[in-house]
Amino acid sequence: MAQTLSQKITDALLERKLLKPEQLDKALKLQKEQGGKLSQILLDLGYVKDKDIVAVLSQHLNIPTLSLEKYKIDPSLTDLIPRHVARRYEVIPISKIEKNLTVATADPLNIFAIDDITSLTGFQVRVVITTSKEILDAIEQYYPTHTSKVLEEAVKDMEKPNVITAEMLEQKTASATELRQMIDEMPVVKVTNMILSEATRLKASDILIEPLEDATRVRYRIDGLLQEGRTLPRNMHDAVISRIKVMSELNISEHRLPQDGRFKIRFKDRYVDYRISILPSSYGEKASLRILDKAQVTLDVEKLGFEGYSLDELKKAAMRPHGMILVCGPTGSGKTTSLYSVLKYVDSPEKNILTVEDPVEFDLAGVNQVNAKPEIGLTFAKTLRSMLRQDPDIIMVGEIRDLETADIAIKAALTGHLVLSTLHTNTAAGAITRLTNMGIEPFLISSSVVLIASQRLIRKICVKCREPYEIEPAVKKQLGLSASDKFYKGKGCDSCFGTGYKGRVGIIETIPLTQKIKTLIMDKSSEHIITDQARKDGTITLREDGIVKAKAGITTLEEVMRVTIGENKQPD
């Protein structure tokens, strides 16, 4: 009996060792129970990558592949296929020559899609294969989102009489009843949803909604830097803030005190968490929303950007049966993501893993996570005490903030537990000074801590507009660089919004506590002496790690200097 295409694809995946036989058996069982396409089930289970399936499809169907990430599409082509059709069939037009239209698709065997597009456009349709994710990303990039139009219509609706009265404007803050009426109005819902969806689409990490004297400013933090978003009329501010409060189940009539909350909404095919902070200011309440989008987070210690000595030492420390690992850095430097990645790296059914966080940012399968609530007495320290009665193998503490928490965590590390936590310090060696200032004795630090890491996130060069450029010889000499070293930058394009950067990657320095480092800690040596000894032991500093990535064309030298400002010492 002749093989079906599905069988040919799975056989090819098995032959290339991209799929294991037991994984195929499980996927086939699921397909029999639930139905659906086998290829999609394999993708959902994480057994294969979409690019592997694309490569196999291309080979067996003799259809070329195309990476849309590196391809610039003529925006005028999107007029040929409406946005809703492109999304329904997951296709996007990429070129037109005379009466021939080439489209990229993830499903080249969908003859209904090809027929519909042929009938719709009047062109002879040819296809190339790419991944579903690349097509959806390209649709978001090249098709107009209609955000401006929706906002304009909502603003006009909000400016109609009787929605916000003159008396309310004079008071600047409406009553609870008036606010409830305002936030139930459809324009407010539209505006708020547009702000949230636009931020998620732009892959922002934060949204700031700020009241000014005569307007409301919306800003998005993208790749670590704030960018101006929409400016809304001032009379919409209270309604938008109250809408966010309602979504977060906060008190909409309270305007004098700060409030914190969170909510979750569905965005396309996934749920996105938003962590909310409301702060009273002179012109009204300011809202800060942290976006926790699992789709944008890679919890894989191999893919954080760490490499060489630093990655090896981090893995070694993670596999120890007991001790403490500390990750340091300012807010937003990716500390929690690194700890989550380490937990995933060491996780196994034989280990009892517990975490206490404020708040829990991402749900980790197989890990018991506790959300600290200091307002009801559930502090880090109290939770840690209870955790130790749960016979844990590994404990993660979201942050060491005080002596009590530090003391319990260190004693846990000394009594047979692996403890992971974060500290807000600028350098790895600075964590020792911080613990000492908290009141922890040096002998306890040297006995319990096995590794201290300091990290930052730096922006990556946009791959679509990357180009080489020359660095002044004097600058190279000052930074200890070779005259032959080459560097790159992004010239700016539509894909990166003209910034030249897209995405971020981590840089890290790790200090394993060797015997020499422990001796320096016992002698209460200064931070720079500990750092010097660590470098002699093999530590690569943040700046040195950044320069390695700049040489590799991952980031720019200017970005490295910006993120590691103040770290001037170079290799001897």
Side-chain angles (χ1 to χ4, degrees), residues 135-149:
I135 290 173
L136 293 175
D137 287 346
I139 289 172
E140 290 300 323
Q141 179 180 342
Y142 290 104
Y143 278 87
T145 62
H146 305 296
T147 301
S148 299
K149 183 179 178 181

Side-chain angles (χ1 to χ4, degrees), residues 288-303:
S288 175
L289 292 78
R290 169 63 58 89
I291 303 173
L292 304 173
D293 186 357
K294 293 181 184 179
Q296 306 303 330
V297 177
T298 302
L299 299 181
D300 186 341
V301 74
E302 300 278 0
K303 297 178 181 178

Side-chain angles (χ1 to χ4, degrees), residues 259-293:
Q259 296 187 69
D260 296 314
R262 63 190 307 169
F263 63 85
K264 181 186 294 186
I265 62 172
R266 188 173 183 84
F267 182 78
K268 294 183 181 176
D269 57 345
R270 65 188 186 276
Y271 283 97
V272 178
D273 287 307
Y274 296 83
R275 201 166 69 201
I276 316 302
S277 173
I278 306 291
L279 183 69
S281 70
S282 56
Y283 288 115
E285 292 175 293
K286 173 185 174 182
S288 175
L289 292 78
R290 169 63 58 89
I291 303 173
L292 304 173
D293 186 357

Side-chain angles (χ1 to χ4, degrees), residues 360-384:
V360 172
E361 294 193 8
F362 294 105
D363 297 325
L364 297 176
V367 176
N368 303 282
Q369 297 171 273
V370 178
N371 201 352
K373 296 179 180 178
E375 65 273 13
I376 62 171
L378 189 62
T379 61
F380 279 123
K382 188 172 183 178
T383 307
L384 266 175

Side-chain angles (χ1 to χ4, degrees), residues 92-199:
I92 189 167
I94 60 169
S95 71
K96 177 174 69 71
I97 301 175
E98 296 180 348
K99 283 295 181 180
N100 294 314
L101 177 67
T102 303
V103 300
T105 176
D107 186 4
L109 297 179
N110 189 343
I111 57 175
F112 299 107
I114 305 303
D115 287 346
D116 280 359
I117 294 170
T118 300
S119 175
L120 179 69
T121 62
F123 289 93
Q124 183 67 35
V125 177
R126 298 177 178 176
V127 298
V128 295
I129 310 176
T130 189
T131 66
S132 177
K133 181 181 181 302
E134 287 192 14
I135 290 173
L136 293 175
D137 287 346
I139 289 172
E140 290 300 323
Q141 179 180 342
Y142 290 104
Y143 278 87
T145 62
H146 305 296
T147 301
S148 299
K149 183 179 178 181
V150 172
L151 284 174
E152 286 173 10
E153 290 176 353
V155 169
K156 287 178 182 177
D157 288 342
M158 286 293 293
E159 289 173 348
K160 290 178 181 177
N162 302 323
V163 175
I164 300 177
T165 66
E167 183 181 356
M168 289 161 59
L169 286 176
E170 288 177 5
Q171 294 175 350
K172 285 191 178 179
T173 302
S175 67
T177 304
E178 291 166 331
L179 283 172
R180 177 66 65 177
Q181 181 180 352
M182 290 161 61
I183 60 179
D184 286 340
E185 296 284 343
M186 184 57 69
V188 175
V189 176
K190 282 184 179 180
V191 170
T192 308
N193 289 346
M194 277 298 164
I195 291 171
L196 298 177
S197 62
E198 185 170 44

